[in-house]
Amino acid sequence: MTDFISYLPGVKPRKARALIVDGGLLSKDERRDIFPRSDSIFDMVDVVGPDAASAILRAYRAGTLPMNRGEVVRETPLADQYLQNADVLRAQIAERRRKQAAVNDISLVEERDFLDNRLLDRIFWKHAGKGEATLTLAGIAVTKSVHGYQTNSGENTEYEVSFHWIGSDGERCNSGTGKPLAAFNRRNDADRNWGLHE
């Protein structure tokens, strides 16, 4: 939402956002077209779908959004360009919503989702708890592996999370976070692990 508001020249961003989110600017259906991206627990980004974006742009052109002093309504090439891709945006939003719903309803998981290790990790946490486990997703057994690496001090542990499966084409596949930096330190290298306390 922050990006889309920035496409409207002269608008006061905070006041415009408050009016869009909490005011009566949008109908209920249009307000439903704004939703949290939720890529992680720290993700605070709101996605603006094309229906909500159209309503916001109409309000801008009608002069009903709060403007900075001395500013007037101007051309909005970036907002217009955003709306020219409405069909693509709708498809992306539908896919994002399917993935979010798949965390709770694993029947929505598709084999192509297996390459999204962040999504897989959320699904495993929800349905198998922490640690290693195997779930059947999209008719395929997917195994989660967790390997810990101690930091040089030995006080902390960093983790590598990986997922393994045999695809519908019979090929062995995997995805994951890759090894953390601690995997390459002296404590985790037997040839260089000298002088470190156990």
Side-chain angles (χ1 to χ4, degrees), residues 4-110:
F4 187 76
I5 291 172
S6 73
Y7 298 160
L8 308 174
V11 165
K12 289 184 175 179
R14 287 187 182 152
K15 289 191 175 182
R17 183 184 183 91
L19 182 62
I20 292 164
V21 173
D22 301 322
L25 184 71
L26 304 181
S27 70
K28 282 186 179 180
D29 286 339
E30 291 164 343
R31 195 173 289 125
R32 264 189 237 117
D33 204 31
I34 298 174
F35 60 94
R37 184 172 62 186
S38 300
D39 279 349
S40 74
I41 59 172
F42 304 108
D43 190 354
M44 306 301 284
V45 173
D46 287 327
V47 175
V48 178
D51 296 334
S54 293
I56 294 166
L57 186 55
R58 280 194 307 273
Y60 173 75
R61 289 182 175 150
T64 56
L65 290 181
M67 304 286 285
N68 291 313
R69 185 178 303 203
E71 291 284 359
V72 295
V73 174
R74 300 194 306 243
E75 294 295 314
T76 56
L78 294 175
D80 295 338
Q81 183 180 3
Y82 184 83
L83 287 169
Q84 284 172 359
N85 297 319
D87 290 339
V88 173
L89 288 170
R90 283 189 181 92
Q92 289 172 345
I93 289 168
E95 178 65 1
R96 183 179 294 278
R97 286 183 167 156
R98 181 192 65 80
K99 284 185 171 185
Q100 287 174 349
V103 172
N104 294 318
D105 181 0
I106 60 174
S107 70
L108 298 174
V109 176
E110 298 177 5

